[in-house]
Amino acid sequence: QLQLVESGGGLVHPGGSLRLSCVASGSIFKLYNMGWYQQGPGKQRELVAAINTAGSTNYADSVKGRFTITGDSAKNTVYLQMNSLKPGGTALYYCYLNDYLNTHWGHGTKVTISS
């Protein structure tokens, strides 16, 4: 059974940085892409960034220039470097993995932005 484990969340001041990590373990049919969604309080889950096995990336407009997604397909690991975090950006960040059969989700890691 595939498991995704996120880490790196925490409390950060506005303008600060955090780096999230997600490691996938277990049976993967054929990796297509991995990425991150965020879900703020009372909001829907929204795509933040994704990367595929070819290294192509895409980002939500709101994070372009501030966030960087990288991955290591050999290790089934994806990272999200978040810089210039904005006030009001507190959210749960969920890692996901698409393997041509299913979309798998982690349990989320909380990022709290507060002064």
Side-chain angles (χ1 to χ4, degrees):
Q1 186 172 354
L2 181 64
Q3 286 189 319
L4 298 174
V5 179
E6 304 106 329
S7 60
L11 174 64
V12 62
H13 293 310
S17 299
L18 278 177
R19 187 187 192 221
L20 306 182
S21 300
C22 173
V23 180
S25 61
S27 179
I28 300 174
F29 174 68
K30 183 178 180 181
L31 180 62
Y32 171 62
N33 73 354
M34 295 180 71
W36 297 89
Y37 275 70
Q38 69 176 20
Q39 186 168 19
K43 297 181 180 180
Q44 289 188 327
R45 199 174 293 191
E46 299 177 331
L47 178 67
V48 176
I51 185 168
N52 65 18
T53 53
S56 295
T57 58
N58 65 286
Y59 296 91
D61 288 343
S62 61
V63 306
K64 285 179 180 177
R66 299 187 298 118
F67 290 12
T68 302
I69 188 169
T70 55
D72 185 337
S73 58
K75 297 181 179 179
N76 296 324
T77 301
V78 65
Y79 307 95
L80 185 67
Q81 178 66 43
M82 306 186 294
N83 298 329
S84 302
L85 287 163
K86 296 182 177 181
T90 293
L92 276 168
Y93 282 76
Y94 295 93
C95 175
Y96 76 92
L97 181 153
N98 285 321
D99 65 0
Y100 289 95
L101 288 180
N102 291 298
T103 299
H104 308 271
W105 294 94
H107 292 294
T109 185
K110 187 172 184 180
V111 174
T112 302
I113 304 170
S114 176
S115 55

